[in-house]
Amino acid sequence: MKISEVITNAYQALRQNTRRSLLTMIGIIIGISSVITILSLGRGFEMYTVRNLTTSNDKQVSVDIMFNPTDLTQFANSKMSYFSDVDLNFVRQVEGVNKVEYVKQSDNLLSVELNVRNKKITKSLGFSNFGVDKIEFGRQFRSEENNGHQKVVLISKDTAKDINQDLTKVIGTGIDIKGELYQVVGIYMGGSEGLFDTTPDIKVSKKTYQYYENNRDRPMQIKVIVTKDFKPSNVSKNVIKKLNNIGSSRNFGKYETFDMGALTDGIGKVLKMLTYFISGIAGISLFIAGVGVMNMMYTSVSERTKEIGVRRSVGARRRDIRNQFLAEGLMLTVSSGIIGYILGYLIALIISIMLPFRVSPDFFTISLTIIVTLIIGLVFSITPANMASKKDLVEILR
Amino acid sequence: MLITLDDVTKSYVLGKQRVTILKNVSLSIAEGDFVGIMGRSGSGKSTLVNLIGFLDRQFSGEYYFEEKLVDQYTDDELSKIRNEHVGFVFQNFGLIEAMTVTENVELPLLYAGIANQTKTQLVLESLRRVGLEGLEKQSVKLLSGGQRQRVAIARAIVNQPKFIIADEPTGALDSKTSLEIMKLFRDLNINHGVTIILVTHDVNLMTYCSREIKVSDGEVSL
Ligand SMILES: Nc1ncnc2c1ncn2[C@@H]1O[C@H](COP(=O)(O)OP(=O)(O)OP(=O)(O)O)[C@@H](O)[C@H]1O
Ligand SMILES: [Mg+2]
C-alpha cells in the first residue's frame, strides 16, 4: 500500500468519527500549546537579553572586563589607572580575542541631576545624532561647535518646561553636567512620555562630552570583542586569569567580568521556574492525553474488527493493518501538535505585545513539537495497532 | 491439483465441550473446476470454504495448495495469495460500511499496489459486470441487500483471481439477477479458466457446476 493511500485512509477513518477524534485531540493541543507559549516567551526573552548583552551594533559578541580596586589609595589623584595600554596588549594575546578597547563610562546613557529652582530633578543624558533631532525652538549644533568642543546642549521640551514654562527663556541658560556648564541652544520634540521611550532628556555632542570626560575619567572597563566561534564566557575567563596574573593593577584589586546576566536574572529565574512548572503540567496533560489516544485506538480497533477481517481477507498483511492504525494514531497526535503549536505561538505573540521583546517561531520548538507528538502517537497507539494486526481472521469473520 | 484436502478435521472448543464441525474431509479441486457445494444450514459449508480460502489455519490434517503444504506458507505469503489469486464473496458480504462502493471494490488493488489509473479502470469494469454502474460514489450503507451482494462479487473479481470462493453469492438476489451472476461466473470459468467454488442452497444453480460436493453434518461426500 502506498504511503499516500495510508495517509488518506487514516484521514478518512478519523473523519468517520470526527467528534471522538477532536475530543481526543484537545488534551494534546492544550499540552503542546502551553509548552510552546512558555518556550516561545522564554526564547524571546533570552534573545532579548543576549542582544542587550552584546551592545555593539555589528553581530560581534563582546564581554566587558572591569577592575574592582581594594586599595583605593593607589588610584587616588590619577596616580595610576585601572587599565593600561600594556594590559590591553596582554589581553590581545589571549586566544579568542579579536579586539580590545577601553570602555569609558561616558559611552553609556547616563543620567544627570539638574538643580532647578532649588529642586533636584533627574534627567537622562544621551548623545545627539548630529543633525537629526527635530528642533522646535532654538537651533541645531553647529559643526564648528562640535569640532571646537563648545559646551552646548539640546534638551527636550519636557525638560525645558521643568526649567521654565516660557520656552524662549530657556534658550541660552546653562545646565550643569558633571561640573561642566553647558549652554542650551535648542529644544527638541519628545521626551519621557512613554514607558519605553528611550529618547534622552538631554542631548550633547558625543565628541564634546568625551573630550571633557576623558580628561578626567580613567578607563574603568575594557571591552573584549570575541573572535567568532569562541565561547565568550571562556574567553573572558582566560582574559581575567591573565590579568590577575600580570595585569598592571593586580596587586591592588581584582579583575572581574561584569555579569550582565545578573541584571536580568530576576526575570530569567521567574521565567525558568514558570517554564519548569508549565512543562511539568503539560507533561502530565500530554500523558493523560496519550492515554486518551490509546483508549480511542482500542475502541476504534474493537469497533472495526469486521473491517480488519475484510482487509485481511483481501490481502492486507499483518503489518498493513498495524501501519493503518499507527498512521491514525500518529495523524491524530501530530495534527494536534501542529494545531497546538500554532495556538501556543499565537498566545505567546499576544502576550509579547505587552513585553519589550518579540517572539518568533524557531526550529527548536517546531522540531520539539513534531518529535514529542510523534513519540506520544507511537507509544500510545503501538499496542492497539499490534492488537489489531494480531486478530484471528476466522474469529472476526463470523 | 490446485487444492487438496487430506483428512482435514476442524473442531471448536466450546466451554468444556469439543465440537467437531468438519470430520475427516478429503477432497481435491483442480484448476478450471466449477464446484458446487451443497448442504443443510449449519452443516459446515462456510467453515469448509473459509478453510480452503486460507482464512482459517487451525485444523488438523493436511491441506496442499499447489502441491505445497499450507502450513509451510507464512502469514504474509498467504496474504499475498489471497490478494492476487483468491476472490471471496462472503455470506455476509464482508463490506466496509463506512466506505463507498468504489473504495470497497478497490481494496484488493490497494494492497496489490496497482497504479491509480489501472485501478479505476478495473473497478469500473467489474462494477459494470455486476450491473452496478453509476453507483461508484454511493456509500455502502445506503445500498439494498442485493446491491451489497453485487458489490461483494465485484470486489471478488476485480483482482482477476485464479479462483473464486463464493458463499451463497446469489442468496439476496432475484432470479433474473442471480442468473446474470451465474452467467458471469460461467464466463470467467470457461473463458478465463477461473476455478470457482460456489456454496449454494439452490439446486437449480447446480446446472452451472461441473462438480458437486455435498456436506452433511461435517462430512463430505463427492
Ligand atoms: N467460531 C465458531 N465457534 C463455534 N462454533 C462455530 C464457529 N464457527 C462455526 N461454528 C459452528 O459450525 C457449524 C457450521 O457452521 P457453518 O457456518 O460452516 O455452516 P453453514 O453450512 O455455512 O450454514 P449456512 O448454510 O446456514 O450458512 C455451526 O453449527 C456453527 O455453530
Ligand atoms: Mg454458511
Side-chain angles (χ1 to χ4, degrees):
Chain A
M1 213 165 172
K2 290 178 219 132
I3 285 280
S4 58
E5 285 161 359
V6 174
I7 290 172
T8 38
N9 219 328
Y11 176 72
Q12 278 169 352
L14 292 177
R15 280 298 304 275
Q16 215 70 61
N17 222 316
T18 317
R19 196 176 313 167
R20 186 198 288 163
S21 306
L22 286 181
L23 284 174
T24 313
M25 287 168 77
I26 285 178
I28 300 173
I29 293 177
I30 291 175
I32 292 290
S33 61
S34 50
V35 172
I36 291 307
T37 305
I38 194 73
L39 280 184
S40 300
L41 288 176
R43 298 216 123 215
F45 176 74
E46 203 173 279
M47 245 128 86
Y48 171 72
T49 52
V50 167
R51 211 181 313 120
N52 278 10
L53 283 171
T54 57
T55 34
S56 40
N57 313 338
D58 42 314
K59 284 216 172 103
Q60 286 173 320
V61 180
S62 68
V63 279
D64 287 351
I65 310 282
M66 16 176 247
F67 181 72
N68 228 342
T70 45
D71 185 358
L72 279 167
T73 54
Q74 279 296 323
F75 304 100
N77 302 325
S78 306
K79 249 202 280 182
M80 216 180 134
S81 62
Y82 292 167
F83 292 95
S84 68
D85 290 347
V86 183
D87 292 334
L88 252 60
N89 271 331
F90 285 143
V91 173
R92 242 171 237 128
Q93 291 159 11
V94 176
E95 205 189 2
V97 174
N98 188 14
K99 233 163 59 182
V100 198
E101 56 196 31
Y102 291 117
V103 181
K104 313 278 164 47
Q105 277 182 322
S106 47
D107 278 356
N108 302 321
L109 202 69
L110 294 175
S111 59
V112 288
E113 288 203 323
L114 296 185
N115 253 318
V116 181
R117 280 168 271 148
N118 297 327
K119 239 173 54 199
K120 278 195 169 167
I121 48 174
T122 309
K123 292 288 171 186
S124 59
L125 178 66
F127 300 118
S128 165
N129 276 344
F130 207 63
V132 298
D133 301 301
K134 274 194 191 146
I135 302 294
E136 210 174 322
F137 278 95
R139 59 171 173 81
Q140 255 306 343
F141 295 137
R142 297 200 179 104
S143 60
E144 67 266 22
E145 281 170 346
N146 194 34
N147 294 331
H149 311 306
Q150 297 274 326
K151 288 186 270 186
V152 285
V153 287
L154 302 174
I155 61 176
S156 73
K157 201 168 165 183
D158 289 352
T159 313
K161 277 184 180 159
D162 286 338
I163 297 170
N164 196 325
Q165 282 298 327
D166 187 355
L167 295 183
T168 48
K169 285 196 177 137
V170 178
I171 304 285
T173 51
I175 289 180
D176 184 341
I177 298 172
K178 296 211 159 181
E180 310 277 344
L181 202 64
Y182 286 75
Q183 192 188 21
V184 178
V185 294
I187 297 168
Y188 57 84
M189 305 273 287
S192 43
E193 283 120 22
L195 194 55
F196 293 106
D197 188 354
T198 49
T199 317
D201 300 316
I202 300 172
K203 290 183 179 180
V204 297
S205 146
K206 191 168 183 171
K207 208 166 165 183
T208 309
Y209 183 76
Q210 280 178 348
Y211 177 79
Y212 290 102
E213 281 292 293
N214 290 356
N215 288 347
R216 205 151 30 109
D217 275 9
R218 290 177 298 267
M220 300 274 287
Q221 294 181 16
I222 54 171
K223 184 198 278 295
V224 175
I225 315 274
V226 179
T227 315
K228 224 178 135 215
D229 297 336
F230 276 86
K231 217 174 155 194
S233 56
N234 284 346
V235 173
S236 70
K237 212 160 65 195
N238 289 338
V239 167
I240 287 167
K241 210 157 114 197
K242 185 148 196 171
L243 284 175
N244 278 331
N245 276 337
I246 51 174
S248 58
S249 318
R250 65 181 183 280
N251 294 324
F252 315 110
K254 269 189 100 82
Y255 295 94
E256 291 169 342
T257 179
F258 180 52
D259 189 6
M260 284 288 242
L263 278 180
T264 48
D265 244 16
I267 320 172
K269 246 184 204 144
V270 172
L271 212 64
K272 207 167 232 164
M273 290 299 291
L274 213 62
T275 308
Y276 285 139
F277 181 68
I278 293 189
S279 304
I281 292 182
I284 295 169
S285 114
L286 284 180
F287 181 79
I288 296 171
V291 174
V293 171
M294 200 164 180
N295 183 31
M296 171 181 159
M297 292 311 290
Y298 270 125
T299 318
S300 178
V301 168
S302 60
E303 274 177 1
R304 286 156 65 195
T305 33
K306 185 186 166 197
E307 175 185 333
I308 297 167
V310 170
R311 285 176 183 275
R312 291 276 281 133
S313 71
V314 297
R317 295 163 302 177
R318 288 191 193 283
R319 81 180 85 121
D320 291 321
I321 300 295
R322 191 198 58 209
N323 291 349
Q324 179 190 344
F325 283 95
L326 264 189
E328 281 174 34
L330 286 178
M331 179 172 281
L332 197 77
T333 55
V334 173
S335 55
S336 323
I338 292 167
I339 296 172
Y341 185 91
I342 294 169
L343 202 69
Y345 174 66
L346 287 180
I347 295 172
L349 208 62
I350 291 167
I351 293 176
S352 76
I353 291 172
M354 294 174 273
L355 298 172
F357 56 85
R358 292 288 158 262
V359 295
S360 54
D362 65 308
F363 181 72
F364 171 75
T365 47
I366 292 176
S367 41
L368 183 79
T369 306
I370 305 267
I371 289 171
V372 164
T373 49
L374 273 177
I375 289 175
I376 294 174
L378 275 178
V379 165
F380 290 99
S381 35
I382 189 79
T383 29
N386 271 334
M387 185 182 92
S389 75
K390 293 218 171 76
K391 281 200 181 279
D392 189 19
L393 253 175
V394 236
E395 284 306 310
I396 55 188
L397 277 174
R398 304 233 73 241
Chain B
M1 238 358 111
L2 186 68
I3 286 162
T4 310
L5 297 190
D6 189 11
D7 203 16
V8 168
T9 298
K10 166 79 194 171
S11 51
Y12 290 107
V13 180
L14 287 177
K16 286 189 190 104
Q17 259 187 319
R18 194 173 183 82
V19 192
T20 305
I21 312 294
L22 296 175
K23 291 176 201 119
N24 311 94
V25 174
S26 296
L27 59 84
S28 52
I29 295 167
E31 256 189 285
D33 276 358
F34 196 137
V35 187
I37 299 182
M38 298 263 300
R40 291 178 50 191
S41 174
S43 55
K45 305 181 296 295
S46 297
T47 310
L48 177 64
V49 291
N50 282 346
L51 198 148
I52 291 174
F54 322 107
L55 298 177
D56 189 355
R57 300 183 70 184
Q58 268 129 32
F59 54 86
S60 65
E62 275 151 19
Y63 172 16
Y64 297 90
F65 177 71
E66 293 188 323
E67 315 297 340
K68 188 176 163 187
L69 209 57
V70 166
D71 263 355
Q72 288 168 354
Y73 290 97
T74 65
D75 196 80
D76 280 4
E77 281 168 341
L78 288 182
S79 297
K80 195 171 153 71
I81 294 173
R82 279 200 297 267
N83 183 241
E84 289 172 358
H85 303 309
V86 189
F88 277 105
V89 184
F90 292 108
Q91 194 167 7
N92 59 3
F93 315 144
L95 300 178
I96 301 174
E97 295 282 314
M99 306 204 307
T100 65
V101 170
T102 303
E103 284 166 344
N104 266 286
V105 175
E106 73 181 4
L107 266 184
L109 306 179
L110 278 185
Y111 290 109
I114 305 260
N116 268 333
Q117 234 177 346
T118 334
K119 203 168 68 189
T120 324
Q121 248 170 20
L122 287 171
V123 169
L124 282 177
E125 167 65 11
S126 64
L127 281 177
R128 191 191 57 74
R129 293 181 90 166
V130 297
L132 282 181
E133 56 270 85
L135 284 180
E136 293 86 4
K137 298 243 152 43
Q138 183 82 279
S139 168
V140 165
K141 272 184 221 136
L142 308 174
L143 297 183
S144 73
Q147 287 170 325
R148 281 166 199 241
Q149 189 147 43
R150 282 182 285 160
V151 174
I153 294 165
R155 187 181 62 198
I157 61 173
V158 77
N159 56 342
Q160 295 161 323
K162 237 190 223 167
F163 71 101
I164 293 175
I165 295 175
D167 199 348
E168 297 190 36
T170 57
L173 301 178
D174 58 281
S175 53
K176 189 165 165 280
T177 319
S178 66
L179 215 70
E180 271 154 27
I181 294 297
M182 289 315 291
K183 276 186 192 145
L184 167 63
F185 283 151
R186 182 158 64 188
D187 171 63
L188 287 172
N189 179 246
I190 291 170
N191 298 328
H192 299 91
V194 179
T195 311
I196 295 191
I197 299 167
L198 175 84
V199 176
T200 183
H201 286 293
D202 190 346
V203 196
N204 296 331
L205 300 185
M206 277 302 145
T207 50
Y208 291 91
C209 301
S210 58
R211 283 182 55 198
E212 187 181 336
I213 292 177
K214 278 209 164 66
V215 184
S216 64
D217 283 340
E219 288 183 57
V220 166
S221 53
L222 304 178

